[in-house]
């Protein structure tokens, strides 16, 4: 059954940085190719990943892959700083800037295209949200706009039938994207304080989180596991399987 189309594909080459919207992407066993494959570590906390929770201005740094993508090696990762500088993600100038702002000692970690572990990166392979749910949340929150980037989904689905939060009814079922990829929905995405941070200015507003807690039991979006790998594209049809 046709349920919609892929409206946007977003991967995050660097954990907690703003991701990049791409027209196509390869779905690996661990999720989108390169998603959260690079991370900064907070050496003041014995090497835990540095995230928006500790350093909320991370939302204003954008990471992107530059160059040919292969299964042997990730392309170069460039970072665009809030001031517009373009630097390699391991550039000492960038690291020193972040150390100064966060008041932490920072090191780096990266994985390989064949294996990005889920444990330290996310709860599951893929996070999906829908346009109808985002529109309904905007109505519930009562603000002019709800920026999708607050929720950091990998796949943003344009629904054929605009039923808010229908994706929660798909938990336990599978979808097919395009001609190759199959995903299985496995659970709700329970939200943390990260959604309170405005991606534009890094300022916090707890009212969105409070709205989700009150109206949606603190859930927005659904997690999915990869069943069949392959290539996906923006505008690919998405079918709910029997």
């Amino acid at each position: 059954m046709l349920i919609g189309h892929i409206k946007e594909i977003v991967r995050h080459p660097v954990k907690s940085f703003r991701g990049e919207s791409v027209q196509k992407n390869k779905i690996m066993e661990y999720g989108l190719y390169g998603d959260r494959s690079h991370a900064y570590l907070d050496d003041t906390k014995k090497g835990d990943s540095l995230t928006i929770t500790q350093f909320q201005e991370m939302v204003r740094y954008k990471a992107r892959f530059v160059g040919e993508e292969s299964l042997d090696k990730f392309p170069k990762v460039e970072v665009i700083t809030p001031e517009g500088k373009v630097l390699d993600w391991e550039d000492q100038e960038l690291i020193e800037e972040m150390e100064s702002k966060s008041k932490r000692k920072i090191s780096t970690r990266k994985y390989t295209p064949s294996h990005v572990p889920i444990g330290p990166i996310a709860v599951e392979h893929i996070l999906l949200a829908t346009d109808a749910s985002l529109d309904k949340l905007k109505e519930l929150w009562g603000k002019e706009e709800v920026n999708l980037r607050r929720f950091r989904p990998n796949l943003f689905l344009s629904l054929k039938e605009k039923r808010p939060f229908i994706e929660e009814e798909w938990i336990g079922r599978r979808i097919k994207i395009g001609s190759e990829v199959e995903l299985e929905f496995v659970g709700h995405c329970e939200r943390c304080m990260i959604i309170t941070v405005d991606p534009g200015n890094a300022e916090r507003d707890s009212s969105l989180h409070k709205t989700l807690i009150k109206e949606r039991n603190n859930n927005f979006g659904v997690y999915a596991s990869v069943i069949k790998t392959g290539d996906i594209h923006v505008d690919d049809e998405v079918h709910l399987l029997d």
Side-chain angles (χ1 to χ4, degrees):
M1 178 176 69
L2 177 66
I3 56 173
H5 296 77
I6 297 297
K7 187 173 183 177
E8 189 172 7
I9 303 169
V10 183
R11 64 183 177 192
H12 304 83
V14 177
K15 180 177 174 66
S16 273
F17 274 7
R18 178 179 171 182
E20 58 174 347
S21 182
V22 295
Q23 290 299 302
K24 62 180 181 179
N25 204 88
K26 186 174 291 293
I27 299 292
M28 310 288 287
E29 290 182 356
Y30 58 78
L32 267 64
Y33 173 92
D35 190 52
R36 297 170 172 88
S37 54
H38 298 64
Y40 293 104
L41 304 182
D42 181 358
D43 289 344
T44 61
K45 289 193 173 183
K46 298 182 179 179
D48 290 344
S49 293
L50 182 67
T51 71
I52 298 165
T53 304
Q54 296 86 33
F55 177 34
Q56 58 197 52
E57 198 175 348
M58 290 182 83
V59 298
R60 300 185 64 214
Y61 290 79
K62 181 180 179 180
R64 65 189 181 192
F65 286 121
V66 178
E68 183 179 354
E69 298 178 10
S70 78
L71 298 179
D72 297 319
K73 183 180 179 181
F74 284 124
K76 176 183 178 182
V77 176
E78 282 186 348
V79 172
I80 303 173
T81 72
E83 293 73 34
K85 287 185 178 180
V86 179
L87 300 169
D88 185 271
W89 86 290
E90 291 182 298
D91 192 299
Q92 194 60 34
E93 178 184 347
L94 174 62
I95 293 175
E96 288 177 0
E97 174 182 317
M98 293 173 58
E99 287 179 334
S100 175
K101 288 180 177 181
S102 67
K103 297 178 172 58
R104 287 168 164 83
K105 184 67 177 175
I106 295 172
S107 59
T108 61
R109 174 182 290 164
K110 61 182 176 182
Y111 299 100
T112 64
S114 61
H115 178 66
V116 177
I118 295 173
I121 306 299
V123 175
E124 258 299 340
H125 300 139
I126 297 285
L127 177 59
L128 179 143
T130 67
D131 57 351
S133 297
L134 188 69
D135 289 344
K136 183 62 177 180
L137 183 57
K138 173 184 175 181
E139 178 186 324
L140 292 171
W141 191 26
K143 297 291 182 77
E144 292 185 2
E145 180 184 1
V146 182
N147 193 320
L148 180 66
R149 299 207 312 272
R150 286 181 182 266
F151 302 98
R152 307 178 71 79
N154 299 118
L155 303 179
F156 187 48
L157 183 62
S158 176
L159 293 173
K160 181 180 178 183
E161 180 186 0
K162 304 298 185 185
R163 281 182 55 194
F165 311 111
I166 191 175
E167 60 272 20
E168 296 179 0
E169 299 176 17
W170 301 334
I171 293 172
R173 301 186 67 180
R174 295 184 181 186
I175 56 171
K176 186 171 185 177
I177 303 174
S179 60
E180 299 177 315
V181 171
E182 288 187 20
L183 308 177
E184 180 175 339
F185 293 110
V186 296
H188 300 87
C189 179
E190 184 176 349
R191 291 298 172 169
C192 66
M193 63 73 60
I194 286 176
I195 67 168
T196 70
V197 181
D198 187 322
N201 57 25
E203 294 180 359
R204 291 188 61 183
D205 180 349
S206 62
S207 63
L208 176 60
H209 199 192
K210 290 176 180 177
T211 299
L212 264 188
I213 292 170
K214 178 183 177 182
E215 302 288 347
R216 299 302 309 167
N217 198 28
N218 200 27
N219 295 320
F220 186 82
V222 287
Y223 285 115
S225 293
V226 176
I227 304 301
K228 292 183 180 179
T229 61
D231 295 321
I232 61 171
H233 308 78
V234 170
D235 293 329
D236 273 351
E237 291 187 352
V238 181
H239 292 261
L240 188 64
L241 302 178
D242 295 331

